[in-house]
Amino acid sequence: MSRGLNEILDKATNSHNLAERIKKNTQGTEDIFSSWTDSLFVSLNYSNVLDICCGTGNQIVKYATNKKVKNITGIDISEGSLNFSLSRLSELNSTAMIDLKNISMDLFFEKRHQKYDLISCFYGLYYSKNIKKLISQMINCTEDGGVILIVGPYGENNASFFGLIEEHYKIPDLVKKSATSFMGDDVLPELSMQTRVQMKTLVNKIYFYSSDELVNYWRATTFYNFTHEKAVRLDIDSYFVKHDFFIIEKHIIAFIATKI
Ligand SMILES: C[S@@+](CC[C@H](N)C(=O)[O-])C[C@H]1O[C@@H](n2cnc3c(N)ncnc32)[C@H](O)[C@@H]1O
């Protein structure tokens, strides 16, 4: 694997960076992501769930507080994030059986053929080394009538910030693709072949009120580059001389794929 790709994956699986980004993404004055996520589940019936790339537990916590859910399996490659999830779960009185596994999604299905009535993956599928194979395995392990729920960025996601950064250096193709075109180009065609796909979208505006806030957010991303920090910071500082806030729009799409 190239050094660049390894660095991106290290940043992606760093539980501290993940917690920092999520903190900001859910702090914005228009925090509608959580309620939008809840609305995705409303019409779904499920009691046996697999959450892929469960991270620090944002989806697992929702499943654990749903009384209809009996079994929850969460998988993630980051042990630190799983420990974080465990501490959140310990504060809930969930009656569900919860099993968190420290394993790569590309290996998880190799020896398992158990079926789930909901398989979810929020903001993680783009780290797969073989997305076609993984989606096919996910479909095989979904009950008939069950649902695969995949949520991720698309389209004009992050455009204002990418524009600012790319005045200084090129954001790695892998990062750019995962943040914009992956859901439409790589996920949708695979799902559409074997499931009935419904789509829902959201634009969530994240507000930054100072240079420090924006720079700290950038530092926790997979496209942070220390070499360019001084120059980018100068640009951000001059932006805030003229403006009170900077907005990053998160363009989000959900594929709700029912196995037929
Ligand atoms: C952006 S986070 C999303 C976490 C969570 N789903 C959420 O929405 O808050 C992506 C997660 O994918 C995990 N990850 C990256 N590569 C992985 C892999 N190959 N297998 C399993 N998890 C992986 C990272 O450790 C990280 O926790």
Side-chain angles (χ1 to χ4, degrees):
M1 200 185 294
S2 71
R3 188 166 160 264
L5 181 57
N6 266 331
E7 273 173 24
I8 291 169
L9 289 175
D10 280 351
K11 287 179 190 166
T13 56
N14 179 303
S15 55
H16 172 74
N17 281 353
L18 178 58
E20 275 299 305
R21 291 200 305 275
I22 288 171
K23 195 170 80 185
K24 185 60 201 169
N25 287 347
T26 53
Q27 257 175 9
T29 49
E30 291 184 28
D31 174 27
I32 42 176
F33 181 66
S34 183
S35 51
W36 179 77
T37 300
D38 290 340
S39 77
L40 301 175
F41 296 116
V42 167
S43 59
L44 306 181
N45 269 321
Y46 54 96
S47 65
N48 187 14
V49 191
L50 168 66
D51 189 37
I52 296 176
C53 298
C54 63
T56 51
N58 287 324
Q59 291 75 47
I60 299 269
V61 162
K62 286 187 190 288
Y63 301 142
T65 48
N66 177 341
K67 292 205 164 36
K68 287 187 189 159
V69 176
K70 302 280 179 268
N71 293 292
I72 304 166
T73 304
I75 66 165
D76 200 282
I77 207 166
S78 159
E79 202 175 356
S81 291
L82 290 178
N83 288 338
F84 199 98
S85 293
L86 277 176
S87 68
R88 288 175 79 184
L89 289 165
S90 66
E91 287 162 23
L92 307 173
N93 282 328
S94 176
T95 52
M97 292 281 293
I98 302 173
D99 186 13
L100 300 187
K101 291 187 190 303
N102 186 201
I103 187 169
S104 165
M105 59 189 145
D106 291 312
L107 300 176
F108 177 73
F109 293 103
E110 292 300 324
K111 289 185 187 137
R112 288 179 186 81
H113 304 287
Q114 191 193 330
K115 293 206 170 186
Y116 303 88
D117 47 24
L118 175 63
I119 299 183
S120 59
C121 185
F122 282 58
Y123 283 85
L125 228 46
Y126 34 67
Y127 298 122
S128 168
K129 296 196 175 73
N130 189 341
I131 188 63
K132 282 187 182 198
K133 184 175 174 197
L134 179 62
I135 291 181
S136 155
Q137 289 171 323
M138 287 163 71
I139 294 172
N140 284 340
C141 288
T142 303
E143 302 278 8
D144 289 343
V147 165
I148 297 172
L149 172 61
I150 301 176
V151 174
Y154 82 110
E156 289 299 293
N157 181 61
N158 274 356
S160 60
F161 200 36
F162 284 167
L164 189 153
I165 295 289
E166 289 205 308
E167 290 290 321
H168 301 274
Y169 65 92
K170 190 175 179 310
I171 291 175
D173 288 340
L174 192 72
V175 173
K176 202 75 180 284
K177 178 188 160 95
S178 67
T180 57
S181 59
F182 171 81
M183 288 290 279
D185 290 352
D186 295 39
V187 178
L188 186 58
E190 296 306 313
L191 279 178
S192 303
M193 281 195 277
Q194 292 182 64
T195 66
R196 193 182 60 242
V197 185
Q198 191 195 350
M199 294 176 220
K200 292 194 177 166
T201 59
L202 174 76
V203 178
N204 193 15
K205 292 182 180 173
I206 315 290
Y207 287 79
F208 297 83
Y209 295 97
S210 69
S211 296
D212 281 352
E213 223 187 333
L214 189 54
V215 170
N216 284 339
Y217 182 81
W218 171 44
R219 284 186 182 141
T221 66
T222 49
F223 52 94
Y224 171 68
N225 187 324
F226 176 73
T227 319
H228 296 275
E229 176 160 332
K230 245 186 183 167
V232 171
R233 171 133 218 159
L234 274 177
D235 238 12
I236 294 177
D237 284 346
S238 48
Y239 174 90
F240 276 101
V241 169
K242 294 191 207 116
H243 304 89
D244 293 333
F245 52 80
F246 184 86
I247 298 175
I248 298 182
E249 284 188 359
K250 296 287 169 186
H251 290 237
I252 306 162
I253 195 160
F255 297 143
I256 305 159
T258 306
K259 184 166 170 181
I260 31 182

